[in-house]
Amino acid sequence: MSELQESVRVRFAPSPTGNLHIGGARTAIYNWAFARRHGGSFILRIEDTDPERSTPENTAQIMRSLRWLGLEWDEGPEVGGAFGPYLQTERNSTYGEALEQLKQRDAVYPCFCTPEELAVKREQAMSEKAYAGYDRSCRRIPVAQAQARIAAGEPHTWRLKVPLDRGDVAFEDEVYGLTTVPITQLDDLILVRSDGTPTYNFAVCVDDTLMRITHVIRGDDHMSNTPKQILIYEALGTRLPSFAHLSMILGSDGKRLSKRHGATSVEAYQNEGYFPEALVNYLALLGWSLDGETTIISAETLCASFSLDRVSKNPAIFDEAKLAWMNQAYLKAMGAEAFVEALEPFLVDCGFMRGKGPTVNLGGAYTLGALADPAAIKADIAENKAWYEAIHGLIAERAKTMTDVIPMIAYLFGGDTVELDPVSMEKCLFIDGASGIFDSVILALEEVCDWKGAKIENALRQVPEKLGIKAKPVFQAVRVAVCGTMVSPPLFESLELIGKDDVLSRLKVSRDILGWRESFS
RNA sequence: GUCCCCAUCGUCUAGCGGUUAGGACACCGCCCUUUCAAGGCGGAGAUCACGGGUUCAAAUCCCGUUGGGGAUGCCA
């Protein structure tokens, strides 16, 4: 790699034709980490030259996702910078100037072929022989004649005059190494469309030059564009940036990641309750490795150690299970305070209000659009921080994402009642002598003054001892009565959080049910 | 069609001429245990896509084949 004689400047240049997807996020992460590693600048540029598919909403969403991931850009939309504007649609005059320059250098020529004509030519050439691009017919039009046609208002594009005597185009890719493309494969590509707007390849070269980009780190799909762009740089007479291409991220079937693979956008993972740190960690290691051993890596370490020569050339299959595992690793490692902060939006969305139960409960699914007042929920969290923080210890070893947490903790919010799961009742509640056991349990718990997990456990352990039965069925019955199901977070801590009065109420409900049941048999 | 690129356990990867081919996820078993997890320990899993070379020695270097991906747009 050549010496970095000037400060590193890299860019992430998404086109806002959709939201930020997994592949784009990884490209952004590598650019960002590379900039941080070299004390350079990370620039965001929006490539919105396609008016058909670009929307301001997508631009906003992409920026939201980047910020959520913690990838702050040093220059770009909303933060400014000395080389703006950073939206290509706002840079039209710049491309116009660049085109003028190329005209003066005799590096371009007008092409009057219509899209229809070109399509016919292409199809014909493809079927007959090896098609290698535009046949350059308009290049042979005499200058005076071309000028006259332009003056007459005939629609035309501007094409690059690829030097016929130039040898093959070669470049040293920072991850793929030397790549050479025969010049015969490169045609006179269109730089400026008939409507005066620049094409992707042209805009990229002009912008990367003007924005002083030193390293172009981008998706693999641009590998074949690179030789074309090198030709444009040469026509412009500007220095080439370094290039580094990143292999693609594939779905579980080895095919290009798409909707049918499930969540592909960063936003979707955010909504599913993944942590940005975990996503960044996972994505960073999907195609790059520190040493082959490290699986959990902080953003700081990533920024201190990222290098292009350890980027993998192989396309990688996106493994949801590993991401989920990693997310849990972050969940376990994060402090209770940070956990509550992350949990709050999910509680608000689901309408979980202490004592009032989950507001929206559709057959076990807690969905967005709750009825509870968000302000009230937030206030309750603020006033009872310790209570909410205790949840972390209950679920960290059991949940992978925040959306896992929600159904897991619903029972904590029911106040004096809980929804009882029929299967769990059948298996663990309706056991021999259950109502007697419950009488003892209630009696024992009523006597607990200091309502803490350890005290509750002591009291509860005495029940099976006195009755001369095993502890397990007793605990399981209590679990069902208080938590609603036979599978739940730790029992004693749960009882502590639910509170003595509510626990006793729930136990009495079950005791009554057992009483009625026994009276019928 | 033509051009470019890629190829190590199911998955992500380490490896850069000499290793019992290492780690992580997933999987299986045991331990722990009031449930579920988590954790600990152990296991299975890769003839390094295939075929030729080069070399005393090849997963590592070279050539070919096969398979996959990308480009070949007035999309990016």
Side-chain angles (χ1 to χ4, degrees):
Chain A
M1 190 164 96
S2 61
E3 242 180 88
L4 308 174
Q5 58 273 72
E6 59 187 313
S7 68
V8 162
R9 291 174 60 80
V10 295
R11 86 300 196 279
F12 176 56
S15 72
T17 55
N19 42 200
L20 183 65
H21 56 96
I22 292 303
R26 190 188 57 168
T27 303
I29 290 166
Y30 286 8
N31 272 283
W32 172 78
F34 186 78
R36 294 292 169 266
R37 164 76 179 79
H38 295 285
S41 301
F42 174 56
I43 294 142
L44 176 64
R45 184 176 71 222
I46 305 296
E47 312 221 318
D48 53 352
T49 51
D50 181 2
E52 300 287 312
R53 302 191 297 151
S54 303
T55 69
E57 292 72 31
N58 286 333
T59 300
Q61 179 56 246
I62 287 169
M63 294 198 288
R64 262 203 302 281
S65 288
L66 285 172
R67 286 195 170 116
W68 179 72
L69 288 170
L71 310 177
E72 297 287 336
W73 50 100
D74 306 307
E75 290 175 31
E78 292 182 2
V79 308
F83 302 91
Y86 295 91
L87 263 63
Q88 287 188 327
T89 43
E90 292 174 6
R91 297 175 63 81
N92 266 96
S93 59
T94 307
Y95 308 124
E97 283 164 31
L99 177 64
E100 279 314 309
Q101 249 183 65
L102 292 180
K103 283 184 198 168
Q104 257 146 49
R105 289 161 178 264
D106 191 30
V108 289
Y109 63 91
C111 173
F112 303 96
C113 299
T114 64
E116 294 73 30
E117 285 169 351
L118 293 170
V120 171
K121 282 182 187 181
R122 194 158 39 233
E123 209 168 308
Q124 224 165 27
M126 202 91 88
S127 60
E128 289 170 5
K129 56 176 179 1
Y131 177 67
Y134 180 55
D135 64 6
R136 296 182 166 135
S137 51
C138 287
R139 189 164 171 171
R140 290 184 288 272
I141 298 171
V143 177
Q145 195 181 319
Q147 273 170 350
R149 288 172 74 171
I150 292 171
E154 190 172 338
H156 61 284
T157 60
W158 286 93
R159 286 185 183 270
L160 180 72
K161 226 181 234 186
V162 172
L164 275 3
D165 54 351
R166 193 196 190 290
D168 296 344
V169 181
F171 65 99
E172 187 71 30
D173 191 278
E174 301 275 348
V175 353
Y176 285 97
L178 184 69
T179 301
T180 310
V181 177
I183 190 75
T184 51
Q185 289 297 314
L186 274 359
D187 73 342
D188 293 348
L189 70 162
I190 292 173
L191 265 28
V192 176
R193 301 181 188 115
S194 52
D195 66 357
T197 58
T199 57
Y200 163 75
N201 281 305
F202 186 46
V204 163
C205 291
V206 171
D207 288 345
D208 283 343
T209 296
L210 262 25
M211 292 180 182
R212 312 263 170 91
I213 300 302
T214 57
H215 300 255
V216 172
I217 305 168
R218 72 209 333 178
D220 207 349
D221 45 336
H222 291 299
M223 183 99 100
S224 315
N225 282 324
T226 306
K228 302 177 199 173
Q229 291 171 12
I230 288 174
L231 257 17
I232 296 173
Y233 282 116
E234 286 175 356
L236 249 18
T238 58
R239 225 188 51 186
L240 293 178
S242 293
F243 295 98
H245 289 95
L246 275 19
S247 65
M248 195 154 277
I249 296 178
L250 308 173
S252 48
D253 55 357
K255 294 273 195 296
R256 197 178 182 138
L257 207 54
S258 69
K259 304 286 170 289
R260 61 203 168 73
H261 293 109
T264 57
S265 71
V266 169
E267 187 191 17
Y269 283 94
Q270 178 180 6
N271 291 338
E272 278 186 29
Y274 284 86
F275 302 116
E277 296 84 356
L279 229 201
V280 168
N281 188 154
Y282 177 71
L283 255 17
L285 259 24
L286 194 66
W288 177 82
S289 66
L290 179 62
D291 52 16
E293 306 282 304
T294 307
T295 51
I296 299 295
I297 183 168
S298 66
E300 292 70 39
T301 310
L302 177 63
C303 287
S305 52
F306 181 80
S307 66
L308 291 171
D309 55 11
R310 289 193 67 82
V311 172
S312 168
K313 295 177 191 155
N314 314 3
I317 290 173
F318 188 79
D319 183 2
E320 286 244 22
K322 190 158 186 175
L323 204 214
W325 168 83
M326 201 170 273
N327 203 66
Q328 183 174 37
Y330 277 85
L331 175 60
K332 286 192 289 186
M334 81 197 300
E337 202 177 335
F339 166 75
V340 173
E341 208 175 299
L343 180 65
E344 186 178 281
F346 291 90
L347 291 177
V348 169
D349 279 350
C350 300
F352 275 29
M353 186 69 186
R354 285 166 80 233
K356 297 195 175 142
T359 318
V360 179
N361 181 354
L362 307 166
Y366 306 94
T367 49
L368 304 178
L371 309 169
D373 174 22
I377 293 174
K378 286 180 186 176
D380 189 61
I381 294 171
E383 284 162 28
N384 300 283
K385 279 194 78 170
W387 190 88
Y388 283 93
E389 284 176 7
I391 296 175
H392 182 248
L394 250 37
I395 55 78
E397 285 168 1
R398 282 159 255 274
K400 295 195 187 298
T401 69
M402 294 306 257
T403 46
D404 285 349
V405 173
I406 291 301
M408 238 172 237
I409 63 173
Y411 71 98
L412 293 173
F413 293 83
D416 56 6
T417 55
V418 68
E419 195 182 319
L420 294 168
D421 167 52
V423 175
S424 297
M425 289 169 81
E426 204 59 52
K427 283 185 115 168
C428 302
L429 198 58
F430 301 153
I431 53 175
D432 289 341
S435 69
I437 293 172
F438 268 70
D439 285 334
S440 304
V441 166
I442 290 166
L443 220 59
L445 289 181
E446 273 171 342
E447 280 168 23
V448 178
C449 310
D450 186 18
W451 193 255
K452 291 276 178 276
K455 304 272 167 134
I456 297 166
E457 179 171 359
N458 277 340
L460 228 36
R461 281 198 188 281
Q462 282 168 17
V463 174
E465 242 170 70
K466 274 187 193 160
L467 267 40
I469 54 174
K470 291 200 166 198
K472 184 170 170 172
V474 175
F475 292 161
Q476 281 300 83
V478 172
R479 186 189 303 282
V480 172
V482 179
C483 304
T485 57
M486 58 190 183
V487 174
S488 84
L491 185 58
F492 311 120
E493 290 81 350
S494 293
L495 299 196
E496 180 183 331
L497 282 183
I498 292 163
K500 187 173 176 177
D501 292 348
D502 287 345
V503 165
L504 288 170
S505 302
R506 295 184 189 191
L507 286 169
K508 283 168 186 167
V509 168
S510 282
R511 183 191 56 187
D512 291 347
I513 292 173
L514 288 165
W516 294 328
R517 204 179 122 86
E518 277 166 24
S519 69
F520 279 117
S521 57

